[in-house]
């Protein structure tokens, strides 16, 4: 297979760069999703039970989400997503369980588009 496939959009990054960006995005989508679920647990403990055992979770989730944004934008640039698709994918990291679903959908799309 050549670096660019005939089904890949014009001006898209080489397939190997797309493959690497997709892997980084997938890993960060899962990590973000897990930390977001921990954030929900932290909020329930803090506001429901006045337990502050997980007070570090919002800080960590914020940084993990920031790295997720970078990886999602990196992938979006390489595969030439529209601004709307990029924004929706970025927002997926803020809603519990949605990052897992979006990771699955975006992975299917990119793999089909670039024959990965």
């Amino acid at each position: 297979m050549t670096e660019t496939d005939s089904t890949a959009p014009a001006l898209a990054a080489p397939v190997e760069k797309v493959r690497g960006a997709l892997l980084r995005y997938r890993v960060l989508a899962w990590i973000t999703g897990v930390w977001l679920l921990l954030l929900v647990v932290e909020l329930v403990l803090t506001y429901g039970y006045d337990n502050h055992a997980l007070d570090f979770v919002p800080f960590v989730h914020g940084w993990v989400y920031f790295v997720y944004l970078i990886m999602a934008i990196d992938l979006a640039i390489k595969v030439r997503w529209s601004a709307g698709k990029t924004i929706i994918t970025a927002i997926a990291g803020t809603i519990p369980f949605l990052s897992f679903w979006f990771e699955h959908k975006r992975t299917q799309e990119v793999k089909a588009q670039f024959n990965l």
Side-chain angles (χ1 to χ4, degrees):
M1 178 166 26
T2 62
E3 281 192 347
T4 56
D5 189 46
S6 60
T7 60
L11 303 175
V15 172
E16 288 308 312
K17 289 189 179 206
V18 170
R19 183 177 283 125
L22 180 61
L23 177 62
R24 290 187 298 273
Y25 164 74
R26 293 182 73 186
V27 168
L28 262 298
W30 275 87
I31 293 171
T32 299
V34 169
W35 278 98
L36 183 56
L37 293 176
L38 282 172
L39 181 62
V40 170
V41 170
E42 187 270 338
L43 290 171
V44 169
L45 285 176
T46 299
Y47 295 108
Y49 299 99
D50 199 31
N51 182 329
H52 298 277
L54 297 177
D55 279 349
F56 66 93
V57 171
F59 178 78
V60 175
H61 170 69
W63 280 104
V64 168
Y65 179 69
F66 178 70
V67 176
Y68 166 81
L69 285 176
I70 293 170
M71 296 303 114
I73 291 169
D74 177 50
L75 179 61
I77 290 169
K78 285 182 174 50
V79 300
R80 297 298 201 209
W81 284 341
S82 66
K85 190 177 212 176
T86 303
I87 291 168
I88 290 171
T89 303
I91 290 172
T94 65
I95 301 169
F97 297 106
L98 201 57
S99 67
F100 304 120
W101 186 76
F102 262 79
E103 178 275 327
H104 178 71
K105 296 302 287 178
R106 295 299 186 239
T107 297
Q108 285 180 331
E109 292 170 4
V110 171
K111 283 184 172 183
Q113 184 178 4
F114 289 87
N115 293 324
L116 298 176

